[in-house]
Amino acid sequence: MGGLVEEQLQRGLTALVDGNSQLGESVAIEDRKVDAMELTIDEECSRILATRAPAAGDLRVIVATIKIITDLERIGDECEKIGKAAARLAVAERPSDHYREVRHLGRAVQDLVHEALDAFARMDASRALNVARQDRVVDEEYEAIQRQCITFMMEDVRQIRRTLDVMWAVRALERIGDHAKNICEYVIYMVHGKDIRHTSLERVAEELKSEAARA
């Protein structure tokens, strides 16, 4: 499911940058596959809970998996938005920089999703923590693009429709970064049994370091 979501993200960004409306529409349609996989995995996890009564670490793996597939499904939803925005932008005038800032933000988000899934596959809490910290970079780049888009609309009202679609797409990318961060938080819960959703990453790092020193 993670691989399918990564492919959907990559294709959505390609459609946006290359102005490929057909590809953008296909990305939006592919979200159905992600939804179906979420249901399948959720049913399997529910079956394991009902028939095997997992405990301790095994139970955390199941709980974390249920939460992670929810975030993956929502990443798929955001990719659908990118695909639809790409289809609309394909018929609009393209900027001279070919969406350079959006491409850069897209690469950062792709890396974040890939590294988060890799941390999950390896059950690597330290790596998950480092990846979660990178979400700040995504947020900063997103805010910079938003400010730039607002400037464009103020300078030329003819660009409002196109710029709004760009803003819609980069907002989806920022949300994907948030979901990747959530996955990392669930990896830490899975490995250490700590729910860190409402704890600063700096404090989490200190706690994990103290645990490692005691071990």
Side-chain angles (χ1 to χ4, degrees):
M1 184 179 179
L4 183 59
V5 166
E6 284 192 90
E7 182 181 354
Q8 191 183 12
L9 175 56
Q10 188 273 324
R11 285 163 56 83
L13 288 168
T14 299
L16 178 62
V17 172
D18 293 347
N20 189 328
S21 62
Q22 185 175 2
L23 180 59
E25 291 170 356
S26 70
V27 169
I29 294 172
E30 284 174 358
D31 185 52
R32 299 171 188 171
K33 296 180 183 178
V34 177
D35 294 342
M37 293 192 78
E38 181 198 19
L39 292 175
T40 299
I41 298 171
D42 188 61
E43 289 174 359
E44 182 66 13
C45 288
S46 297
R47 187 189 65 78
I48 293 172
L49 287 172
T51 60
R52 301 189 182 183
D58 291 336
L59 178 60
R60 291 202 304 271
V61 170
I62 297 298
V63 172
T65 298
I66 292 172
K67 292 179 178 294
I68 286 171
I69 61 173
T70 299
D71 276 290
L72 287 175
E73 188 275 332
R74 289 174 181 168
I75 290 175
D77 290 343
E78 299 300 333
C79 290
E80 180 183 6
K81 294 177 185 177
I82 295 171
K84 290 180 178 178
R88 292 192 298 268
L89 287 168
V91 298
E93 180 183 356
R94 294 174 58 73
S96 58
D97 65 358
H98 299 287
Y99 301 112
R100 182 180 61 250
E101 290 84 0
V102 178
R103 291 202 310 271
H104 191 271
L105 175 61
R107 284 194 294 269
V109 171
Q110 283 180 295
D111 289 343
L112 201 63
V113 172
H114 180 77
E115 292 296 320
L117 289 170
D118 196 59
F120 170 63
R122 298 173 185 273
M123 299 182 70
D124 189 336
S126 297
R127 187 170 188 175
L129 179 60
N130 291 333
V131 174
R133 286 170 165 166
Q134 295 172 23
D135 183 54
R136 295 176 182 173
V137 176
V138 170
D139 291 342
E140 291 170 359
E141 291 194 25
Y142 162 71
E143 291 170 2
I145 294 174
Q146 288 285 76
R147 289 193 296 269
Q148 187 182 62
C149 286
I150 291 172
T151 300
F152 286 158
M153 289 190 290
M154 293 175 64
E155 292 177 346
D156 187 352
V157 295
R158 295 171 299 178
Q159 298 296 322
I160 289 179
R161 179 66 265 176
R162 181 182 68 81
T163 306
L164 285 174
D165 280 329
V166 173
M167 292 175 71
W168 184 254
V170 297
R171 173 59 176 166
L173 287 171
E174 189 272 337
R175 290 296 299 139
I176 291 172
D178 289 342
H179 290 303
K181 180 182 177 182
N182 290 347
I183 292 172
C184 292
E185 292 174 348
Y186 297 137
V187 171
I188 294 171
Y189 164 76
M190 182 174 65
V191 176
H192 293 282
K194 291 180 177 294
D195 187 340
I196 67 165
R197 286 176 294 178
H198 305 295
T199 308
S200 70
L201 294 179
E202 290 74 15
R203 181 177 176 183
V204 173
E206 292 176 0
E207 291 179 356
L208 294 183
K209 187 177 180 179
S210 297
E211 284 188 6
R214 289 195 298 270

